[in-house]
Structure formats: C-alpha cells, structure tokens
Amino acid sequence: QVQLVESGGGKVQPGGSLRLSCAASGIIFIFYTMAWYRQVPGKQRELVAIISSGGSINYVDSVKGRFIISRDNAKNTVYLQMNSLKIEDTAVYYCNANHRYQYWGQGTQVTVSS
C-alpha cells in the first residue's frame, strides 16, 4: 500500500518560513521523481517544485529564489523549504510521486496571512 504523508503546513505571517515534509512508504523511493504541487479553490493544481531521482530540480517561476526542494533517500522523504512567504503562496500543498505510476498525498494547508 502506497502512502505519501505530508506534514509541516500551518499559518504564517508574510515573510515567514515553513518546511513541508512528505514521507513515502510502499514505493522504491529512489526510483521516483518527487514533486510538490499546490491548489487554491477554483484553480487548477499547480506544479511548484520537482526533483528527479537523479537530483535534477526545477521550480515554478513564482517561487524561484524562495523555495528549496530536497530529498533524503535514506528516509524516503522529500522536503519543501519555503522562505519569504507571500500571501499568494496560500494553498493546499500536495506531495506527488511519479515513476511508472503516480501517487498523491492528502495535502497540507499553508496559510500566509497577517
């Protein structure tokens, strides 16, 4: 049974930081490209950051220089360090694992508000 369990969401003021974690089980983690997506009500889910099995990384333009994606293959975990958070970063953040099949986590709410 595949599980992706996100944690680390919450409420933070503009300019603050949060670190999201996604712990994977039931997959051979090292084979998977891991990504973080986000979604706000009424809009399509958006790719935020992606890290391949080989460590190649890409970000959506709106988070470049502020967010850092990383993975720890020994812990089967992918992280998203979010710095200099803006109100427009408010969304539900989802972890995604993609290899031959695609899996999603349940999502974690991030709210940036003063």
Side-chain angles (χ1 to χ4, degrees), residues 12-15 38 40 66 84-91 93 110-114:
V12 64
Q13 292 187 339
R38 64 186 179 189
V40 298
R66 300 189 298 121
S84 303
L85 281 160
K86 303 177 180 180
I87 292 174
E88 52 264 41
D89 294 319
T90 296
Y93 284 72
V110 171
T111 301
V112 185
S113 173
S114 56

Side-chain angles (χ1 to χ4, degrees), residues 12-101:
V12 64
Q13 292 187 339
S17 297
L18 284 174
R19 189 194 195 203
L20 304 184
S21 300
C22 171
S25 60
I27 60 172
I28 303 175
F29 185 77
I30 58 172
F31 290 162
Y32 279 74
T33 291
M34 301 299 297
W36 288 95
Y37 286 73
R38 64 186 179 189
Q39 190 170 25
V40 298
K43 291 192 175 182
Q44 283 192 328
R45 196 168 290 189
E46 172 189 44
L47 175 63
V48 176
I50 188 167
I51 182 166
S52 72
S53 57
S56 297
I57 291 172
N58 276 293
Y59 301 96
V60 67
D61 285 347
S62 60
V63 309
K64 285 180 180 177
R66 300 189 298 121
F67 290 11
I68 301 171
I69 188 170
S70 62
R71 63 190 295 160
D72 186 335
N73 290 335
K75 295 182 178 180
N76 288 1
T77 300
V78 62
Y79 305 97
L80 186 66
Q81 177 67 43
M82 304 186 295
N83 303 318
S84 303
L85 281 160
K86 303 177 180 180
I87 292 174
E88 52 264 41
D89 294 319
T90 296
V92 177
Y93 284 72
Y94 296 91
C95 178
N96 173 272
N98 191 16
H99 181 43
R100 293 177 181 176
Y101 301 97

